[in-house]
Amino acid sequence: MNDLYEIATEDGSGSARAPGERPPRPVRRERNAAWFLAQLKPNGARAAERNLRRQGFGTFLPLEERMIRSRGRFVSAERPVFPGYVFVSLDPAASVWRAVNSTFGVQRLVAFGRGPVPVPEGIVDGLITRCDGKGRLRPPGGLAPGQTVRLASGPFADTLAEIERLEPDRRVRLLMTMMGGQTRVTVGADQLRAV
């Protein structure tokens, strides 16, 4: 494994974490490797990722924060961006891809014809740059909760609002002051301009 390099870590310093905080999720891959897509068994994401890393394969499982209903309440939870799939880095010339298919938690590598097909170059690297060190997708376009923005189109064009929350589907929940009170409005991120 001396031919591996790290693509992304939380901050690269190995600093201490708060109690209960998950460790950073490094993404490792061989220098001559390409990214492939592995289909997972139901609820097998964590087991597959752990076992693939034990075998020396690089993995990437991008996560996003979603609101889910649990016990009658809505709570925020981390969920995979691509449910049922994980990206695996391997050297196609080494012919070790069959080991991925027999890994606990993995159903099979996505293949067309005789062998697996690599993910087009740049797609996974683009996702990695949009994620933090723990594999969570960062909000699009530099928008952040608490930021003041101007609506660019729609019935509230040129109105100022404050970002309350960023939704994973590129929607933004805003707080607008109207008629002496605050009103929540959800719009697309492409309808906003920073002030």
Side-chain angles (χ1 to χ4, degrees):
M1 289 199 28
N2 58 356
D3 203 18
L4 296 176
Y5 70 102
E6 213 162 284
I7 294 176
T9 61
E10 185 172 6
D11 61 3
S13 66
S15 60
R17 296 181 304 274
E21 184 181 350
R22 288 183 22 203
R25 298 164 26 90
V27 179
R28 302 177 78 86
R29 90 175 207 194
E30 298 177 28
R31 293 200 185 277
N32 298 327
W35 288 105
F36 292 84
L37 193 61
Q39 186 177 14
L40 303 172
K41 292 182 178 175
N43 299 316
R46 295 291 176 213
E49 190 176 28
R50 181 178 57 246
N51 291 318
L52 286 167
R53 286 186 182 195
R54 283 182 186 163
Q55 295 177 56
F57 295 108
T59 64
F60 179 58
L61 180 67
L63 303 171
E64 64 184 352
E65 194 171 307
R66 289 190 187 157
M67 296 300 287
I68 61 168
R69 191 174 187 140
S70 175
R71 299 180 186 166
R73 296 186 343 206
F74 287 100
V75 294
S76 179
E78 286 183 353
R79 296 288 187 233
V81 175
F82 307 107
Y85 295 92
V86 66
F87 294 103
V88 181
S89 173
L90 60 99
D91 185 359
S95 297
V96 294
W97 62 268
R98 293 187 199 285
V100 174
N101 285 343
S102 62
T103 300
F104 183 73
V106 175
Q107 189 166 346
R108 64 184 173 90
L109 278 172
V110 175
F112 299 103
R114 294 185 146 196
V117 177
V119 176
E121 197 170 319
I123 291 179
V124 177
D125 292 331
L127 279 170
I128 290 170
T129 59
R130 287 199 49 214
C131 290
D132 63 11
K134 295 179 184 177
R136 292 185 303 228
L137 221 51
R138 287 189 294 247
L143 299 175
Q147 181 180 0
T148 302
V149 293
R150 181 180 308 275
L151 280 99
S153 62
F156 299 111
D158 294 326
T159 304
L160 294 177
E162 180 181 331
I163 296 176
E164 180 183 34
R165 186 173 66 213
L166 300 165
E167 302 289 338
D169 58 353
R170 295 205 33 88
R171 312 246 341 132
V172 180
R173 180 173 288 178
L174 303 173
L175 286 174
M176 297 176 56
T177 304
M178 299 173 68
M179 298 188 287
Q182 287 195 326
T183 305
R184 287 185 173 93
V185 178
T186 304
V187 298
D190 58 337
Q191 293 178 312
L192 301 176
R193 303 292 176 262
V195 175

